[in-house]
Amino acid sequence: MSLFPVKAPNTFTITLHRDGVSRPWGIRVAGGADVDTPIVVTKVAFGSPAEGELMCGDIIRKVADYDARDLRHIDVQNLFKNAGSSVSLVVQREPGISAPSSRCGSVTPSTMNRATTPVPGGVATPFAQCGYVVINSDDESSGFTGITLLNS
């Protein structure tokens, strides 16, 4: 018996709606099968269809009928782009987070290259704002080993 009960992540389905195909969904995501990481919400824009539904740090498990574990980052982008006026998502959220009111800072290529927190054996990027840290291996003897998302 564990002294600290482990709570399972909350998994739920949402449908985002937008006024027309020219209106953005209002989220930014990172990850994909091509980089062997889950699809993680890294930004939710104010006043967007995603506001009040998604939060920074949410893991997208399905987009429409597609399992996100099989989708490259570009596939996810294309599914959102071609979704029309609504898109259904299966989302995983860590327990204890109930109100989708927190926002992430913007993650851009310029901030991706800047270390925000020193991490032994790698560099932490601004994904730490979402409760995740991306570690890039700097072990010169073995070369680049990939990207790992850790729940911080």
Side-chain angles (χ1 to χ4, degrees), residues 12-21 23-27 29 39 41 48-51 53-54 60-66 68 71 75-91:
F12 53 93
T13 301
I14 63 166
T15 301
L16 299 178
H17 300 278
R18 60 182 175 176
D19 298 333
V21 295
R23 183 172 186 209
W25 293 107
I27 64 169
V29 298
I39 305 294
V41 175
S48 70
E51 182 181 26
E53 299 289 340
L54 292 172
I60 298 178
R61 293 295 183 198
K62 281 182 94 172
V63 179
D65 293 326
Y66 297 93
L71 298 173
D75 298 328
V76 174
Q77 289 176 321
N78 287 331
L79 285 169
F80 276 102
K81 180 181 176 182
N82 299 320
S85 61
S86 66
V87 64
S88 178
L89 306 171
V90 174
V91 177

Side-chain angles (χ1 to χ4, degrees), residues 53-117:
E53 299 289 340
L54 292 172
M55 304 182 55
C56 176
D58 282 348
I59 298 172
I60 298 178
R61 293 295 183 198
K62 281 182 94 172
V63 179
D65 293 326
Y66 297 93
D67 187 329
R69 293 176 294 187
D70 300 327
L71 298 173
R72 298 170 301 161
H73 188 83
I74 191 72
D75 298 328
V76 174
Q77 289 176 321
N78 287 331
L79 285 169
F80 276 102
K81 180 181 176 182
N82 299 320
S85 61
S86 66
V87 64
S88 178
L89 306 171
V90 174
V91 177
Q92 179 181 318
R93 182 172 295 154
E94 291 301 315
I97 301 174
S98 58
S101 59
S102 65
R103 306 281 189 289
C104 307
S106 179
V107 178
T108 64
S110 62
T111 60
M112 289 292 293
N113 295 327
R114 181 184 45 145
T116 58
T117 308

Side-chain angles (χ1 to χ4, degrees), residues 30-45:
D34 49 334
V35 291
D36 198 29
T37 61
I39 305 294
V40 178
V41 175
T42 60
K43 183 176 182 179
V44 179

